[in-house]
Amino acid sequence: MAERPIKIGFSSQQLNRTCVTSISSRTSELSYNIANLVVPFPRAGSNPPAPPESFLPNVPPARYENMVLNQAKVKSVLSGDSLILAAVDNPDRERILSLAYCTSPHLKKEGDEQWAFESRDALRKLAVGKHVQFQILYTIPNTKREYGIVFFNDGRRLPELMVEEGWLKLREDAGRKEDSEEALQQLDNLRLLEAKARADDKGLWQTSGGRINVQHDMGDSASFVEKWKGQSVDGLVERVLSGDRMLVRLILSPTEHIQVMTLVAGIRSPTTERVNPSNGGTQPAEEYGNEARRFVELRLLQRNVKVDILGLSPQNQLVASIRHPKGSIAKFLLEDGLARCVDFHSTLLGPEMKNLRDAEKVAQSSKKGLFKDHVAKPSGPGGSLEAHVTRVFSADVIYVRNRAGVEKRINLSSVRGPRPSEQSEAPFRDEAKEFLRKKVIGKNIRMSIDGSRPATGEYDAKEVATITLNDKNIGLLLVQEGWCSVIRHRRDDTDRAPNYDDLLAAQETAKEDKKGMWSGKPAKAKQYADASESLQKAKMQVASLQRQRKIPAIVDFVKGGSRFTVLIPRENIKLTFVLGGIRAPKSSRGPSDKAEPFGQEAHDLATKRLTQRDVEIDVFNIDKVGGFIGALYINKESFAKILVDEGFATVHAYSAEQSGNSNELQAAETRAKEARKGLWEDWDPSLDVVEDEKAPPNISNNDSAPITREKDYRDVMITNIDEDGRIKLQVIGTGTSALETMMTQFKSFHLNPANKAGLSGPPKTGEYVAAQFTDDGQWYRARVRANDRPAKEAEIVYVDYGNSEKMPWSKLRPLSQPQFTPQKLRPQAVDAVLSLIQLPTNKDYLADAIEYITQATANKELVANVDYTAPEGTLYVTLYDQNTSQNLKDSINTDIIREGHAMVPTKLKPWERSFGDVLKDLREKSDLAKTDRLGMWEYGDITED
């Protein structure tokens, strides 16, 4: 809009008399005429209405009927007599307007005049942020300073309001050379208002007060922050330099103020346009920098705020949260895309940082401002994944194996273990790694992939993930204990932990508490002496180790299926350890070396189960090269037995007898032979000397004679079906009757508050306890299968029913009462397997089979023929439903095969061969299931290949 002179509807004679005003000054007398009334502000409209009579009470309305008033918004006030006005349609166009004929005390850096702050504050509260109309009455030509009057929309006007409240007084030279009737009338009115304010001791006319001590820096900034940190102080924003930086007056008391440069906590806004003082050139603003400053000015400039003192920046500038009555200005800036979150304020803000990050996400999702080109980070595949920790490489790197058996390296998100290049951190590397190893090795963890980096010439491919174990965040735990530091990410780096702010806060707490590598006191690195370095050293050590039982140890390296390097921390030794009583086939030691059959499988199993695991060892003897021979236990189970059970080792009879575990190993070997596992996949019982001695003489077709099928019918109830299809059953009879009686007593016993005491200490594996089943809240007898000591949780099996669950130690009770012990009544759940049934290996078909068996057996009294009893006590049974079974061939086992949920085993055990016609019938039913494409046969015959 073009600039136009203000039009006033006077006659020419009146115009000269009214618009020419003489003003006296110290240096000269200034003339003023109508040409000085040109105003560069746009008008509100082409034909603005005349001001109401109340605007100009001392001027006859008729004389001002054509007056044009300018519209503006009050941006701020400089003092009680000066305002900064901004154009309504263009806030960047500003002008300073002083109130005509009046003056006020002024704020000065060297010391405010008396009542200066109160005078300015009165005008600030009246005008800042308001839309007003104004009229310029005169201008000082040499300074271009403009003087005028201001009208509020409710009819009030300045300077009258300020004079009436005593915060302005007339200039001594006001009206000295005025000859305008209207001006003189206005001056008379102002003098009357001033006289009344003076008489009432208002404002400047008070007899005492008005002295404020204003400090323009914090002095000792550290001491100031220490005193005020965490407190909320009243403040007034004096100046806005950028969206995240402003000059704030802290009102510590009515007479003590401090003006300090303040950084808005948690954000960084783009820089604004500014002049470089070194060369006078203009440095352009960053994108959205000026918009961010204007955003804050509009809401906070010369507004009362709450200032939450948080801390200092590295440059010793105050860092604080600035709260408008409607909320944190940082949050509003972020939501409008005019700022970004900064990590280094996270520890100062604490939980409030989450709200800022959420606000930033709002702008990112709506692509506002700085985030207009934001591309959302793709969600990781599968979300939270389950994996098994196989190896700990360092305090921040682990190796895991997923359900598909694929092993991969995982870096913990946003944390870093002690760095070897940092002198203060390097001594803590072993301790940090050992802390992580004890927590996660061999455990099933959940991981959420936060980012990945493809392989380059210099670096391997890397995935970073958040790792949780029993709902505990492992990265956070490492930082809390001082074993890892937090990585400072680049601003655009999205591959970070979702709990990044919690990590930063935990690091600060660990530093304050001097934990881990922040303690400055590394433990002396363990130096393990090699007891197997020579036969002589082994002989020196063996006697001491033989005297000890179940020595705690760590498997440091797996050399083969039965040969390991073992660390014994309490003895500060390492040794080569060889499993006694067995012989495992050799694995290949290099690309050109050939492994013995199943040697690599034995090696892989040992690597999977033992690498970096806590174990226990018993030492029996030493070999000819300094290796120590003995038994090794993982989770209280002999690893030699595990190898033999899987068919990856054979029993060495003599050494097994010498070690005292011959019976256990021989039983495991028998099970492996019967299951045709590993080394025994082609086992021919007829060639086994022991079996020949026990077998009847009539042998046909070069095979062992079939064992006569037993006829042992029992009434049973199926109480549990495991994931692999093995069942638990109760044999109905005196045992189950006694169980019902005992359970009634058991329930009454545990309802008595006097019997609610828990265990006296952590339970042991194999220990009998009382446990309250989660689903029905009833108490049952149980046995501890395994312990998770970090989580203080036990996996228990309900011995009378066969089902299992995990239970906190705190919820278990002792089973020491004589009337409830297994000696009084043996566990009623019996291990059983369905005879002549080979369930599918595919997990989906297996699930279907288990579902079918469950439906066929649930809550039913069945008849079971115990076809065979295995050496370890497992029953092989054929199940009959009395309501549906018509003959011996009409069994639940047969129905399972007919519906395609299982097949007849291809390799039969000796006792299975006695089934004759039953086998023939089962094979016919299996063929029918194949023809009808039922169950596991839906895509054809899976055995054809």
Side-chain angles (χ1 to χ4, degrees):
M1 183 177 292
E3 296 179 351
R4 298 172 59 190
I6 293 176
K7 179 181 179 183
I8 302 176
F10 290 175
S11 66
S12 59
Q13 184 178 0
Q14 291 171 329
L15 186 62
N16 287 330
R17 180 161 53 92
T18 303
C19 295
V20 180
T21 303
S22 298
I23 306 291
S24 299
S25 66
R26 296 177 183 175
T27 59
S28 63
E29 187 176 75
L30 304 175
S31 297
Y32 176 83
N33 58 44
I34 192 63
N36 298 113
L37 294 177
V38 175
V39 181
F41 269 52
R43 298 180 185 176
S46 56
N47 296 301
E53 183 178 346
S54 59
F55 280 175
L56 303 168
N58 301 310
V59 182
R63 298 195 175 208
Y64 287 84
E65 60 186 4
N66 295 320
M67 176 183 288
V68 175
L69 297 176
N70 298 283
Q71 293 191 351
K73 184 176 181 180
V74 181
K75 178 179 179 180
S76 61
V77 296
L78 300 175
S79 61
D81 60 8
S82 299
L83 307 90
I84 297 179
L85 304 177
V88 175
D89 64 338
N90 186 0
D92 287 336
R93 294 175 59 192
E94 300 174 358
R95 72 192 307 159
I96 298 175
L97 179 69
S98 297
L99 298 177
Y101 308 124
C102 299
T103 186
S104 72
H106 290 167
L107 287 76
K108 299 179 179 178
K109 190 166 186 178
E110 58 272 16
D112 296 347
E113 296 177 359
Q114 188 178 17
W115 302 110
F117 175 76
E118 291 84 347
S119 175
R120 189 197 72 163
D121 211 44
L123 182 58
R124 177 185 70 82
K125 292 175 180 177
L126 279 172
V128 170
K130 302 284 181 63
H131 285 271
V132 299
Q133 295 175 309
F134 69 95
Q135 175 65 50
I136 296 174
L137 298 185
Y138 56 87
T139 301
I140 305 299
N142 63 337
T143 62
K144 304 297 182 183
R145 187 171 183 179
E146 298 172 331
Y147 292 82
I149 55 179
V150 175
F151 303 96
F152 293 105
N153 290 336
D154 59 3
R156 298 179 299 166
R157 79 176 194 178
L158 299 173
E160 280 79 0
L161 280 174
M162 290 289 288
V163 173
E164 185 178 7
E165 294 301 321
W167 295 118
L168 285 182
K169 60 183 178 180
L170 268 64
R171 292 179 180 273
E172 292 179 0
D173 57 356
R176 186 172 294 175
K177 293 191 176 183
E178 284 285 358
D179 56 0
S180 162
E181 180 182 343
E182 291 80 4
L184 291 173
Q185 286 180 1
Q186 184 179 6
L187 284 166
D188 288 342
N189 184 53
L190 290 174
R191 289 191 181 99
L192 286 173
L193 294 174
E194 182 183 65
K196 187 175 186 307
R198 186 196 297 263
D200 294 341
D201 291 334
K202 285 186 175 182
L204 309 176
W205 311 112
Q206 298 176 63
T207 56
S208 63
R211 295 290 183 186
I212 294 177
N213 179 28
V214 182
Q215 189 176 328
H216 292 276
D217 57 52
M218 292 180 288
D220 184 351
S221 54
S223 298
F224 175 84
V225 170
E226 184 178 355
K227 177 180 178 181
W228 292 95
K229 186 174 182 179
Q231 299 187 48
S232 183
V233 178
D234 289 326
L236 182 66
V237 177
E238 297 283 8
R239 185 181 172 196
V240 177
L241 283 79
S242 62
D244 60 355
R245 192 180 300 261
M246 58 191 71
L247 183 66
V248 179
R249 178 186 290 257
L250 301 178
I251 305 173
L252 304 181
S253 75
T255 58
E256 293 290 332
H257 295 184
I258 296 181
Q259 287 193 171
V260 291
M261 188 61 61
T262 304
L263 303 182
V264 180
I267 64 169
R268 183 193 178 279
S269 284
T271 58
T272 55
E273 183 180 83
R274 58 186 185 273
V275 177
N276 191 332
S278 61
N279 56 20
T282 300
Q283 183 173 334
E286 294 179 344
E287 188 178 23
Y288 295 105
N290 291 335
E291 290 84 345
R293 180 186 62 189
R294 191 178 301 117
F295 182 95
V296 177
E297 282 181 341
L298 181 65
R299 290 157 176 81
L300 296 189
L301 183 59
Q302 289 203 331
R303 306 305 205 285
N304 291 109
V305 294
K306 286 290 185 180
V307 182
D308 298 332
I309 309 294
L310 299 178
L312 292 173
S313 73
Q315 294 76 32
N316 275 340
Q317 291 181 318
L318 184 67
V319 179
S321 287
I322 307 297
R323 289 189 286 114
H324 183 274
K326 291 187 178 180
S328 166
I329 191 64
K331 179 175 178 289
F332 293 119
L333 278 165
L334 288 166
E335 286 178 340
D336 267 43
L338 298 176
R340 299 178 187 273
C341 286
V342 291
D343 297 332
F344 52 84
H345 288 170
S346 176
T347 53
L348 300 177
L349 282 161
E352 179 62 24
M353 193 68 193
K354 180 182 183 302
N355 296 331
L356 299 187
R357 294 206 187 273
D358 290 343
E360 184 179 56
K361 290 175 183 176
V362 170
Q364 289 172 345
S365 62
S366 54
K367 296 185 180 294
K368 285 186 178 180
L370 296 168
F371 306 104
K372 62 183 179 181
D373 300 321
H374 176 74
V375 178
K377 179 181 176 182
S379 58
S384 181
L385 308 172
E386 190 171 312
H388 186 79
V389 180
T390 58
R391 186 155 53 104
V392 174
F393 181 78
S394 65
D396 56 2
V397 179
I398 61 176
Y399 284 84
V400 300
R401 182 182 291 109
N402 61 21
R403 288 185 172 180
V406 177
E407 188 176 67
K408 62 169 65 175
R409 169 181 167 142
I410 296 293
N411 286 54
L412 273 63
S413 292
S414 299
V415 303
R416 175 172 52 210
R419 291 167 288 182
S421 57
E422 288 291 328
Q423 187 175 358
S424 61
E425 298 179 10
F428 296 93
R429 294 184 69 205
D430 291 340
E431 284 183 273
K433 177 183 175 182
E434 178 62 10
F435 178 87
L436 179 60
R437 186 197 68 81
K438 286 182 176 179
K439 290 291 180 186
V440 303
I441 192 66
K443 303 290 179 63
N444 290 323
I445 53 94
R446 298 200 72 83
M447 63 180 185
S448 177
I449 304 298
D450 298 320
S452 60
R453 183 184 68 194
T456 62
E458 186 177 356
Y459 299 102
D460 295 332
K462 180 176 78 171
E463 286 187 321
V464 294
T466 296
I467 305 297
T468 57
L469 174 63
N470 298 326
D471 296 327
K472 292 182 179 178
N473 187 295
I474 297 302
L476 181 60
L477 182 62
L478 284 163
V479 175
Q480 287 172 336
E481 296 300 322
W483 298 122
C484 279
S485 58
V486 182
I487 296 170
R488 295 288 184 177
H489 290 281
R490 299 188 311 275
R491 187 179 69 186
D492 59 344
D493 187 1
T494 59
D495 294 348
R496 62 174 65 192
N499 64 333
Y500 187 69
D501 297 317
D502 294 336
L503 293 174
L504 290 171
Q507 177 174 265
E508 293 304 309
T509 303
K511 286 181 177 179
E512 291 173 6
D513 296 343
K514 298 187 182 302
K515 287 188 173 182
M517 63 180 174
W518 311 116
S519 67
K521 300 175 182 178
K524 186 177 180 180
K526 278 189 177 295
Q527 300 294 328
Y528 289 99
D530 189 356
S532 294
E533 185 177 7
S534 65
L535 181 59
Q536 183 180 1
K537 285 188 175 182
K539 287 180 178 178
M540 294 172 59
Q541 196 70 48
V542 66
S544 172
L545 296 178
Q546 283 175 331
R547 286 193 296 268
Q548 304 178 56
R549 300 290 294 174
K550 298 291 180 67
I551 305 168
I554 302 168
V555 177
D556 188 52
F557 184 72
V558 176
K559 297 181 176 181
S562 61
R563 195 173 187 87
F564 324 106
T565 298
V566 170
L567 307 178
I568 305 179
R570 75 183 185 190
E571 302 288 341
N572 283 345
I573 60 172
K574 68 176 180 179
L575 48 85
T576 298
F577 192 81
V578 183
L579 296 179
I582 66 167
R583 182 192 177 279
K586 293 181 180 179
S587 58
S588 60
R589 298 187 178 184
S592 58
D593 194 10
K594 187 175 181 181
E596 294 179 352
F598 294 98
Q600 194 58 48
E601 287 84 347
H603 193 157
D604 292 343
L605 178 64
T607 300
K608 179 179 178 181
R609 296 287 299 273
L610 298 182
T611 300
Q612 293 187 328
R613 303 301 202 280
D614 289 304
V615 298
E616 293 175 319
I617 61 171
D618 284 337
V619 174
F620 305 149
N621 210 333
I622 56 174
D623 60 20
K624 297 179 181 179
V625 294
F628 289 74
I629 302 171
L632 182 146
Y633 301 92
I634 176 77
N635 297 327
K636 308 297 183 182
E637 186 177 11
S638 165
F639 189 69
K641 181 183 79 70
I642 293 172
L643 281 174
V644 175
D645 247 330
E646 294 298 325
F648 295 154
T650 57
V651 178
H652 190 271
Y654 176 76
S655 59
E657 289 291 341
Q658 294 293 105
S659 63
N661 59 352
S662 176
N663 291 339
E664 180 184 51
L665 295 178
Q666 291 289 357
E669 187 174 74
T670 300
R671 290 193 296 271
K673 287 178 178 179
E674 292 177 349
R676 306 295 201 281
K677 285 185 176 181
L679 295 165
W680 309 108
E681 62 178 350
D682 298 320
W683 175 63
D684 185 351
S686 65
L687 301 179
D688 194 311
V689 175
V690 176
E691 291 292 326
D692 284 348
E693 292 175 352
K694 295 181 179 180
N698 53 328
I699 306 295
S700 61
N701 297 326
N702 294 322
D703 204 349
S704 60
I707 298 173
T708 304
R709 181 186 179 189
E710 297 178 6
K711 292 184 178 180
D712 183 3
Y713 294 100
R714 307 180 193 180
D715 293 329
V716 298
M717 285 278 293
I718 306 301
T719 57
N720 188 64
I721 302 176
D722 292 336
E723 292 180 352
D724 60 358
R726 296 175 71 90
I727 62 177
K728 293 278 189 178
L729 57 81
Q730 289 179 351
V731 179
I732 299 173
T734 55
T736 51
S737 299
L739 177 64
E740 290 179 8
T741 303
M742 189 206 72
M743 287 304 299
T744 302
Q745 300 172 355
F746 201 68
K747 179 180 179 180
S748 300
F749 179 87
H750 286 285
L751 285 175
N752 187 343
N755 300 321
K756 67 178 182 179
L759 300 175
S760 59
K764 298 178 181 178
T765 302
E767 181 181 355
Y768 285 90
V769 294
Q772 191 176 24
F773 185 44
T774 304
D775 287 355
D776 62 10
Q778 298 297 317
W779 289 88
Y780 299 91
R781 300 191 300 174
R783 192 175 190 182
V784 178
R785 177 187 286 168
N787 267 320
D788 185 347
R789 294 191 177 277
K792 295 184 178 180
E793 192 176 63
E795 183 182 355
I796 57 171
V797 179
Y798 294 97
V799 296
D800 296 309
Y801 298 91
N803 53 324
S804 63
E805 67 175 337
K806 290 186 177 180
M807 185 77 68
W809 293 348
S810 58
K811 292 188 176 181
L812 302 177
R813 294 181 183 177
L815 192 69
S816 55
Q817 304 80 25
Q819 67 271 32
F820 303 136
T821 60
Q823 290 75 24
K824 179 69 174 179
L825 177 66
R826 65 178 179 82
Q828 292 299 298
V830 180
D831 288 310
V833 177
L834 294 176
S835 299
L836 302 173
I837 293 291
Q838 183 175 326
L839 294 171
T841 55
N842 179 282
K843 64 179 182 179
D844 293 327
Y845 295 135
L846 178 60
D848 292 341
I850 292 173
E851 177 64 20
Y852 181 86
I853 297 170
T854 302
Q855 292 180 359
T857 61
N859 301 317
K860 294 180 180 179
E861 286 192 12
L862 304 171
V863 175
N865 183 65
V866 179
D867 303 312
Y868 175 72
T869 303
E872 76 276 10
T874 301
L875 305 181
Y876 286 76
V877 298
T878 300
L879 295 177
Y880 299 92
D881 188 339
Q882 301 175 68
N883 298 321
T884 58
S885 299
Q886 303 298 321
N887 53 61
L888 295 181
K889 296 180 181 179
D890 194 4
S891 65
I892 293 175
N893 302 44
T894 305
D895 294 340
I896 294 169
I897 289 178
R898 176 62 183 91
E899 294 300 322
H901 294 306
M903 60 186 290
V904 181
T906 54
K907 294 183 178 179
L908 298 175
K909 301 178 179 66
W911 63 268
E912 292 174 322
R913 297 170 193 160
S914 64
F915 276 57
D917 292 341
V918 174
L919 273 172
K920 180 181 177 182
D921 182 69
L922 288 176
R923 291 190 175 108
E924 289 174 355
K925 295 293 192 297
S926 183
D927 291 340
L928 288 174
K930 292 179 190 178
T931 303
D932 295 339
R933 297 292 182 91
L934 299 179
M936 59 190 288
W937 311 109
E938 64 175 328
Y939 296 115
D941 189 350
I942 60 174
T943 64
E944 288 179 349
D945 295 331

